[in-house]
Amino acid sequence: LSGARVAARRSTDTVAPGDPLVARAAELLRARPGAKVAEIARICGVARSGLQRRFLAALGHGLAEERRRVRLARAEALL
């Protein structure tokens, strides 16, 4: 995972991490912006701490930060 790359695409406000589990969790965050981090981890079938570690490795920030980013992007789109 040390060589993982992320491609940010402004056109869709998505990230394309190299880790499929992180990609799934990020998609769930976009689909369910009010979901709690623990709920996303449960849906993905992993422990919250394990998902957190994978987010940090793939994106350089944690799941809660990604959740904040998604919510801010939605708020900006509404302005």
Side-chain angles (χ1 to χ4, degrees):
L1 291 178
S2 62
R5 292 179 36 175
V6 176
R9 290 178 253 144
R10 238 192 209 302
S11 62
T12 57
D13 274 338
T14 62
V15 293
D19 185 329
L21 185 69
V22 171
R24 180 171 183 225
E27 182 58 38
L28 285 168
L29 285 173
R30 284 188 294 282
R32 302 172 185 212
K36 297 192 181 301
V37 172
E39 179 184 357
I40 299 296
R42 182 185 54 76
I43 292 168
C44 289
V46 296
R48 183 175 188 236
S49 59
L51 188 56
Q52 174 73 2
R53 278 191 301 274
R54 289 173 79 157
F55 253 81
L56 286 170
L59 301 177
H61 60 265
L63 190 55
E65 174 62 23
E66 184 67 19
R67 182 175 162 227
R68 277 190 287 279
R69 290 175 185 216
V70 168
R71 294 175 80 184
L72 283 172
R74 281 185 187 257
E76 285 177 351
L78 295 173
L79 294 177

